[in-house]
Amino acid sequence: MGGLDSVRSSFEAFFRKIVVGVMLIWVIMSSSVVYIWDLSQSVDFLRIGGLDAIDDRSSHRCGGDRDTPLRRAVSLVEEDKLKPSIFGTIAHDDNDNDITQIPGSSNGLSATLPRTSKSRDSRTTVTVKPFGDRDLTRAALVYEDGNLVSGSLEACVQNMVPTAEYYPDRTFLFAFLLSSRLYMKPHQLLHDLCQTCVRQQRLNSSHLDRSTLIKFGTNFMQLLSEWAETFPYDFKDERMMKHLREITQKLSTLEPTLKKTAGQIIQGLMRKLATLEKYEDVLVRVNMAASERMHALRANPASFQVNIMDICPEPHVLAQQLTHIELERLTNIGPEEFVQSFIKEQTSDSKNQKFHDFKKTRNLEAYVEWFNRLSYLVATEVCMHIKKKHRAKLIEYFIDVARECFNVGNFNSLMAIMSGLNMCPVGRLKKTWGKVNMDKFEILEHQMDPTSNFNTYRQSLKAAMQRALTAQEGACDKIVIPFFSLLIKDLYFLNEGCANKSANGHINFQKFWQLAKQVTDFLTWKNVDCPYPRERQTLNYLLTAPVFSENSLHLASFESENPESDMERIRYKSLKLQCEEVNK
């Protein structure tokens, strides 16, 4: 229970942000914020040809009827990537009496992973002695049907240590690098790994067998390369880079033929980190551009008469541009961010270092915030219009965009659009909806129905995944963009529902496999290039257009169609008073 408590305290706030307006998309998104106009605190970003997305603002003021404003002037208050696969199935626990002790190898190195089971219900404990004499039970790896199901942390670390003749199974390596951060920091894991290798291979000795050293060095460099390729964010920690440089320098000094490989690893990693840093810099710049547009709107609301249909009149083109944004954001999310979301922030050692000094989930959170931004943008576009026929036309336009998103496998944008159309300020516009053809909308509602844990959506996702398996590289059928917040929810409850450790203190590796399986699907989805051409102006609008807050949307909605109930009239009166107070 301690593991679950530690997860809850750190992830609860973040998870609430994901759930609000996402899981139950048909429920009204409420807000306690009193601002009439506001932009989400974390405006979304996208690297689109450098800063091409931030273009001349005047190009967005090119449409609309100059005699009758289209928009309401509301008073303002404010390289190839590793694609690991998971083998086997997760076996159920058998009777502990079936466990048999198999001694480790004579040199103290870990045994390799069994590839086949001796019987249908076999359960095997492989003992390793990685750090000298200690209790063999704590140093055990337990297998069922050839799959690792549990083991001590020390034994799992030992199992990933390469030798001249042994390289860890890549599925194990990915799963352990992904989830070991629940127990120890990445820099601690790399330190232990390096120290174990130095000790086992006697790298400080003056008598080394060169052929053995070359084989070991090659394997160890391969492990470092896979780590840096799949989890580059780990190496933003200076302690990680220090350990990396020390061990590669040591191996290169002992065996000069390894120097080139070491240099390639570090250079490739530095390029990746530079790209990630540039991406984060673009985030800041796009935020600034969006903030500037909001300030301009506050200063002169009537100057913004353009809407999304003026910028991009074709629904299928807007769906393609949304897919560009989605894939760009997916690409920059590190797989470790999912697991690091579960880590408790607390003082963890004598130096008062905190877990969050390496807990990096910025890109994951930004992607969730993009969903919220798109939902609010859809609602804003509808509620800003004075004329009912314009609002109805925009609703039908977004329904067509949502359908196109479904057709290309972009489920995240589809769900965001449907969420925006189902927000209370839009949903209450009965006269407007009376002019909308509801047939296509009802089909989409059925596809994204949240009942039975989004069962219909999950079936559609499976179909898209099957289609992607047979599609050619570069084809649009390769695209699978999941409803991201539901993926986060699934991982959250997987973490909540499975204990980190068993009663004897062993790591529950079955949980590791399940986490790795879902994250492996994510790696496949994010490693797809968008085949559609970029529309610079449309992308810029999607990223920087001003977005109404919840109160702004309600005020605009009430001014479009008068309040009907007493509760609506009370809220409308309250919002108008707030607006008048600000404008004094």
Side-chain angles (χ1 to χ4, degrees), residues 5-127:
D5 292 339
S6 67
V7 168
R8 287 192 188 94
S9 62
S10 63
F11 195 64
E12 196 173 65
F14 173 60
F15 181 63
R16 279 200 301 269
K17 182 164 63 174
I18 293 174
V19 173
V20 173
V22 176
M23 290 182 57
L24 301 177
I25 63 174
W26 318 130
V27 179
I28 297 173
M29 290 187 238
S30 62
S31 173
S32 61
V33 183
V34 296
Y35 307 129
I36 303 301
W37 272 77
D38 191 18
L39 189 66
S40 178
Q41 290 182 352
S42 298
V43 181
D44 307 281
F45 60 97
L46 180 64
R47 177 172 55 82
I48 305 174
L51 293 178
D52 286 347
I54 307 174
D55 61 355
D56 186 3
R57 309 295 187 274
S58 63
S59 64
H60 291 173
R61 303 168 189 164
C62 57
D65 185 352
R66 297 304 177 187
D67 297 326
T68 304
L70 288 175
R71 291 184 172 238
R72 189 182 316 281
V74 181
S75 299
L76 307 182
V77 178
E78 279 273 298
E79 294 141 38
D80 289 343
K81 299 183 179 180
L82 180 66
K83 298 181 181 179
S85 60
I86 305 305
F87 67 91
T89 56
I90 304 303
H92 296 289
D93 287 341
D94 292 328
N95 193 315
D96 289 342
N97 294 330
D98 295 331
I99 300 177
T100 57
Q101 297 290 336
I102 300 178
S105 58
S106 59
N107 60 2
L109 303 180
S110 66
T112 59
L113 286 125
R115 292 292 177 265
T116 58
S117 58
K118 294 182 179 180
S119 66
R120 174 67 178 170
D121 298 317
S122 63
R123 179 172 177 131
T124 306
T125 301
V126 178
T127 60

Side-chain angles (χ1 to χ4, degrees), residues 139-301:
L141 294 178
V142 180
Y143 292 85
E144 285 186 359
D145 297 331
N147 298 324
L148 178 61
V149 296
S150 68
S152 67
L153 180 60
E154 295 92 337
C156 289
V157 171
Q158 176 65 26
N159 198 51
M160 74 174 289
V161 176
T163 68
E165 306 297 334
Y166 166 77
Y167 190 82
D169 182 272
R170 283 180 170 82
T171 54
F172 163 82
L173 187 60
F174 175 75
F176 189 65
L177 287 176
L178 175 68
S179 298
S180 61
R181 60 198 72 231
L182 291 172
Y183 306 94
M184 62 193 308
K185 301 177 185 179
H187 77 89
Q188 293 171 330
L189 175 60
L190 183 56
H191 173 269
D192 291 351
L193 180 68
C194 293
Q195 291 300 310
T196 302
C197 288
V198 170
R199 182 168 57 253
Q200 288 184 353
Q201 300 300 320
R202 299 180 176 86
L203 298 183
N204 292 326
S205 173
S206 57
H207 303 288
L208 294 173
D209 181 73
R210 187 166 184 265
S211 62
T212 300
L213 179 61
I214 292 175
K215 292 179 181 179
F216 161 75
T218 300
N219 283 341
F220 193 78
M221 292 293 185
Q222 176 64 23
L223 187 149
L224 293 175
S225 178
E226 292 187 18
W227 192 337
E229 176 69 23
T230 313
F231 302 97
Y233 271 121
D234 285 349
F235 293 86
K236 294 188 75 172
D237 189 331
E238 293 181 359
R239 295 164 293 191
M240 287 287 291
M241 290 302 299
K242 178 176 179 289
H243 296 324
L244 177 63
R245 287 193 173 97
E246 286 178 350
I247 191 63
T248 53
Q249 183 177 359
K250 187 176 189 66
L251 290 173
S252 299
T253 301
L254 293 172
E255 179 47 57
T257 59
L258 299 173
K259 186 174 182 179
K260 181 179 179 181
T261 303
Q264 290 173 341
I265 292 173
I266 293 178
Q267 290 174 14
L269 179 59
M270 297 306 294
R271 284 194 298 269
K272 275 184 170 292
L273 293 179
T275 300
L276 293 171
E277 186 176 350
K278 181 180 179 181
Y279 178 71
E280 292 173 356
D281 181 62
V282 170
L283 163 63
V284 175
R285 299 191 188 190
V286 173
N287 278 336
M288 291 175 60
S291 179
E292 289 172 4
R293 293 200 68 188
M294 175 59 75
H295 287 307
L297 179 61
R298 287 171 176 161
N300 186 11

Side-chain angles (χ1 to χ4, degrees), residues 132-143:
D133 294 333
R134 59 174 61 193
D135 188 277
L136 289 180
T137 302
R138 293 188 64 241
L141 294 178
V142 180
Y143 292 85

